[in-house]
Amino acid sequence: MPPPLPVYLDNNSTTRVDPRVVAAMLPVFESVYGNAASTSHSFGWAAAELVEESLATIAGLVGAEPREIVITSGATEAINLAIKGVAPGLEKRGRHCIASLAEHKAGIDPVKRLARQGWDVTWLVPDGCGMITPEQVIDAVRPDTVLVSVMLANNETGTISPIGAISKVCQGKSIVLHTDATQAVGKIPVDVNELGADLVSFSAHKFYGPKGIGGLFVRRRERPIRLIAQIEGGGHQKGLRSGTLPVPLIVGMARALAISIESQPQELKHLQELRNLLEQLVLQNLKGVTVNGSPEHRLPNTSSLTFDGVAGEALMLAMKDVAVSSGSACSAADPEPSHVLRAIGLTDDMARSTLRFSLGRFNTPDEVEFAAGRVVETVKNLRNLRNLV
């Protein structure tokens, strides 16, 4: 008997909000509705207290201090604030930036803007597994290098890059390091001190929290980072990001992260078992399938599979009872093949024949078995149709 349909295997795009997170947020919507910036009455004080408590929780779970967390509308804003915000203050020392070609579009486009403003950019090509190495950064560093932006875990392949080692390269040369940890925070252990990055961006809806809320870690200790605000209008959050704070969403993000960290050991095992089951069932029953990404350094929930001779879009359309993606949801409107897959060496045809399966907390072995069966059946049908034409 099949599991309830459709089966959702697109958790790198977004996750279902955990019911425990909803339960934490609802009372805030109903009773703590004051503006956290209103300092003249108890409604504002209550809201500000919840924000303070939530920031302490979030910061503590990633090894930061509360004053080092800036609330944003999500990872895209956090990444833009990091790159565009730090760049002006670095220009006196140099205007050279190093970035990875495998970044999310939210990381690539702000760097391209710097290039249009006269910055020189060195784009690092990831290896065949999608990883950026410290050696690549060392080779790309110049006397005028002041900024490096490399993501921690890739949203399409799941490959995890050695940001801790890259940060040591940057620290030795007083280079600011930003890392996009959107796909990592909540899924794998993330401690900003171990990473050593100066700026770390993340988003709640990737770890079973609400959409519309994220954060940016801005280092204030040892080598404090200065940012220029990108959103102005009131001087909120010490002038770094103006706007009324969404108290229920902040509470939800804190609760979601706390749950994710608390359950991480069991969840890592659960997700890895599901991912391995999916790949085992597909590879055992289909020829011409390639697993993309690092075999050893990969998110436990992510599987990027290339199916020879099958268009990924056709495969998705033929499997309406299984929700997967052909890449980043934020690039869904772009008809071009995935820039990430092309960066790791796949041809355009191979990139178009690739699907990303991203498992989550609420997925079950029955769902994975059903999805794998549908994939095998549909790929065989599409290949047979192609041979008949």
Side-chain angles (χ1 to χ4, degrees):
M1 183 176 178
L5 301 178
V7 172
Y8 185 75
L9 300 181
D10 198 18
N11 287 275
N12 280 9
S13 172
T14 194
T15 55
R16 168 188 164 192
V17 180
D18 192 292
R20 292 167 288 181
V21 174
V22 176
M25 293 168 60
L26 284 178
V28 185
F29 280 112
E30 296 170 349
S31 60
V32 190
Y33 49 82
N35 189 325
S38 297
T39 59
S40 59
H41 52 68
S42 61
F43 293 90
W45 303 336
E49 185 176 351
L50 274 183
V51 169
E52 186 177 338
E53 291 174 358
S54 298
L55 284 178
T57 297
I58 294 164
L61 290 169
V62 296
E65 295 180 0
R67 65 191 178 107
E68 295 179 308
I69 302 296
V70 179
I71 296 298
T72 67
S73 62
T76 295
E77 184 191 341
I79 295 166
N80 273 263
L81 175 58
I83 295 172
K84 296 178 186 176
V86 79
L90 301 175
E91 291 183 324
K92 290 183 180 179
R93 293 198 291 114
R95 303 186 83 193
H96 178 233
C97 173
I98 299 170
S100 163
L101 280 173
E103 298 294 291
H104 189 282
K105 286 289 188 181
I108 286 180
D109 289 349
V111 173
K112 286 183 176 180
R113 179 173 289 275
L114 292 185
R116 292 195 296 270
Q117 294 172 346
W119 281 61
D120 197 3
V121 178
T122 297
W123 294 101
L124 301 182
V125 180
D127 65 17
C129 293
M131 186 177 293
I132 298 296
T133 67
E135 291 73 24
Q136 287 179 281
V137 177
I138 291 171
D139 291 343
V141 167
R142 307 185 329 199
D144 60 340
T145 305
V146 292
L147 177 62
V148 171
S149 185
V150 176
M151 72 193 324
L152 176 54
N154 187 265
N155 51 300
E156 294 191 33
T157 64
T159 296
I160 300 169
S161 288
I163 298 301
I166 291 172
S167 74
K168 291 179 181 177
V169 175
C170 294
Q171 289 171 27
K173 298 181 178 295
S174 298
I175 298 169
V176 172
L177 172 63
H178 163 254
T179 188
D180 172 7
T182 306
Q183 293 292 344
V185 171
K187 292 179 184 171
I188 60 175
V190 174
D191 185 301
V192 295
N193 300 301
E194 292 180 5
L195 286 180
D198 302 292
L199 299 158
V200 181
S201 44
F202 56 94
S203 187
H205 78 104
K206 304 297 187 181
F207 48 84
Y208 312 95
K211 297 174 181 63
I213 184 75
L216 176 67
F217 163 77
V218 183
R219 187 171 296 281
R220 297 297 187 195
R221 294 161 286 172
E222 298 105 28
R223 49 186 193 281
I225 300 299
R226 293 185 178 181
L227 294 182
I228 302 298
Q230 301 301 298
I231 297 178
E232 299 176 299
H236 302 77
Q237 301 195 72
K238 297 181 174 60
L240 289 179
R241 199 270 192 183
S242 292
T244 302
L245 290 173
V247 181
L249 300 185
I250 295 171
V251 169
M253 178 162 68
R255 181 69 176 126
L257 187 55
I259 293 169
S260 293
I261 300 301
E262 181 183 349
S263 61
Q264 200 166 80
Q266 300 90 343
E267 205 152 272
L268 282 168
K269 183 174 181 292
H270 170 69
L271 293 173
Q272 195 162 10
E273 287 175 350
L274 292 182
R275 186 196 68 193
N276 292 347
L277 175 62
L278 172 72
E279 292 180 354
Q280 177 186 352
L281 291 173
V282 171
L283 294 173
Q284 281 181 348
N285 293 285
L286 279 178
K287 294 181 179 178
V289 181
T290 303
V291 181
N292 303 304
S294 170
E296 300 171 349
H297 306 287
R298 185 167 46 137
L299 290 173
N301 77 314
T302 304
S303 180
S304 172
L305 303 179
T306 300
F307 301 91
D308 293 351
V310 175
E313 292 292 331
L315 181 54
M316 283 193 298
L317 289 172
M319 297 192 306
K320 294 187 183 299
D321 45 10
V322 179
V324 295
S325 69
S326 57
S328 170
C330 298
S331 301
D334 188 349
E336 291 296 311
S338 162
H339 70 280
V340 171
L341 298 179
R342 287 194 292 185
I344 66 173
L346 272 65
T347 65
D348 285 3
D349 285 343
M350 292 168 68
R352 288 193 175 98
S353 299
T354 300
L355 291 185
R356 179 189 68 185
F357 301 81
S358 46
L359 301 144
R361 175 179 299 164
F362 303 108
N363 287 129
T364 66
D366 285 345
E367 289 180 323
V368 169
E369 290 176 7
F370 174 82
R374 290 288 288 119
V375 169
V376 170
E377 174 190 12
T378 308
V379 168
K380 287 180 177 179
N381 289 340
L382 290 173
R383 285 175 175 171
N384 287 337
L385 286 173
R386 186 183 181 192
N387 292 334
L388 291 172
V389 175

